[in-house]
Amino acid sequence: DTGVSQDPRHKITKRGQNVTFRCDPISEHNRLYWYRQTLGQGPEFLTYFQNEAQLEKSRLLSDRFSAERPKGSFSTLEIQRTEQGDSAMYLCASSLAAQRTSGRGNEQFFGPGTRLTVL
Amino acid sequence: GNSVTQMEGPVTLSEEAFLTINCTYTATGYPSLFWYVQYPGEGLQLLLKATKADDKGSNKGFEATYRKETTSFHLEKGSVQVSDSAVYFCALSDPGNFNKFYFGSGTKLNVKP
């Protein structure tokens, strides 16, 4: 399977615990994105990487959230001191570098997501 | 700012009916536009895209035309199947930063046999 993979698919935790999710992008993609999706809503952008560099973070990404992509391949998203409001689906996507002039290459390919439930 | 507005669902149709899901957008500049589909228990899959005004994206019988004058990208299919039942998301890429996508809230489609 050469698509985007995420692990785990489901995570149930108690409030105050730390959780970490992993994303493995499509191997030739140099860009990796994290989104959060709550019930009945579309994905909301959290952050993205080009290779190992984190280039942008949304205001949605509080200090309790940290993302890394240490070798420019897989990425991890950690949430510290989880709160019930963190319950959501966390989606990872990857892409090639977008070509601004043609608009080509900026399709994002999504993984199946990690569903987090904070009790 | 950038935003996407989709018609609220759920949309319930009988098999072989005609489908339209409305999508309008607000953007500063000229975004690329996308439709993604999410089947139950799965991640989002790209359905089609259009990168400039008057472009028509098409895939699996679905079509959408980039209308700059009405800032719309409505999804259509002439004859839906039960297997088309899913949630459909309209999205745009930020004209100032193609890496940043904005999604609509999704429209759930139920197709009955």
Side-chain angles (χ1 to χ4, degrees):
Chain A
D1 186 6
T2 57
V4 178
S5 62
Q6 293 186 246
D7 184 70
R9 294 290 304 275
H10 303 274
K11 179 70 178 178
I12 300 174
T13 190
K14 293 183 179 179
R15 188 175 53 186
Q17 298 295 305
N18 299 343
V19 294
T20 300
F21 310 140
R22 176 178 170 127
C23 170
D24 287 87
I26 293 171
S27 58
E28 62 267 29
H29 286 178
N30 56 352
R31 293 195 168 158
L32 186 148
Y33 312 81
W34 286 99
Y35 291 84
R36 182 173 69 188
Q37 184 181 19
T38 53
L39 197 62
Q41 298 299 314
E44 296 174 292
F45 173 84
L46 292 178
T47 187
Y48 90 94
F49 293 82
Q50 177 161 320
N51 300 315
E52 65 275 10
Q54 187 173 18
L55 297 186
E56 185 170 347
K57 294 196 295 185
S58 162
R59 288 173 296 176
L60 292 174
L61 215 63
S62 76
D63 292 345
R64 296 184 296 105
F65 287 69
S66 62
E68 294 183 345
R69 194 182 183 198
K71 297 181 180 179
S73 56
F74 73 91
S75 175
T76 58
L77 177 68
E78 181 182 16
I79 308 174
Q80 296 182 327
R81 305 181 302 282
T82 52
E83 301 173 356
Q84 288 184 324
D86 297 331
S87 296
M89 177 77 86
Y90 290 85
L91 298 170
C92 176
S94 69
S95 77
L96 296 168
Q99 297 179 23
R100 184 179 300 276
T101 53
S102 68
R104 291 184 299 174
N106 65 336
E107 297 99 312
Q108 294 185 15
F109 295 83
F110 283 79
T114 295
R115 182 170 295 284
L116 173 65
T117 302
V118 182
L119 301 176
Chain B
N2 300 305
S3 67
V4 176
T5 302
Q6 287 182 238
M7 63 186 289
E8 290 193 16
V11 174
T12 301
L13 296 173
S14 297
E15 205 165 23
E16 299 183 1
F18 184 85
L19 168 71
T20 300
I21 299 178
N22 290 338
C23 171
T24 56
Y25 67 90
T26 301
T28 51
Y30 304 102
S32 293
L33 301 173
F34 305 83
W35 277 100
Y36 280 82
V37 58
Q38 187 173 33
Y39 298 101
E42 299 184 12
L44 278 73
Q45 300 176 23
L46 178 66
L47 182 59
L48 53 84
K49 66 176 277 191
T51 58
K52 61 183 187 296
D54 300 325
D55 266 3
K56 178 185 281 187
S58 61
N59 186 25
K60 299 181 181 179
F62 291 90
E63 293 182 340
T65 301
Y66 189 141
R67 300 286 187 202
K68 180 185 164 188
E69 63 276 12
T70 55
T71 60
S72 64
F73 193 54
H74 304 320
L75 182 68
E76 296 182 336
K77 186 175 185 183
S79 176
V80 293
Q81 306 300 312
V82 172
S83 57
D84 294 327
S85 298
V87 181
Y88 292 82
F89 293 94
C90 185
L92 67 82
S93 63
D94 186 334
N97 178 359
F98 274 19
N99 304 292
K100 203 167 178 181
F101 275 31
Y102 295 83
F103 285 84
S105 57
T107 302
K108 185 172 184 180
L109 171 65
N110 296 317
V111 181
K112 296 186 174 182

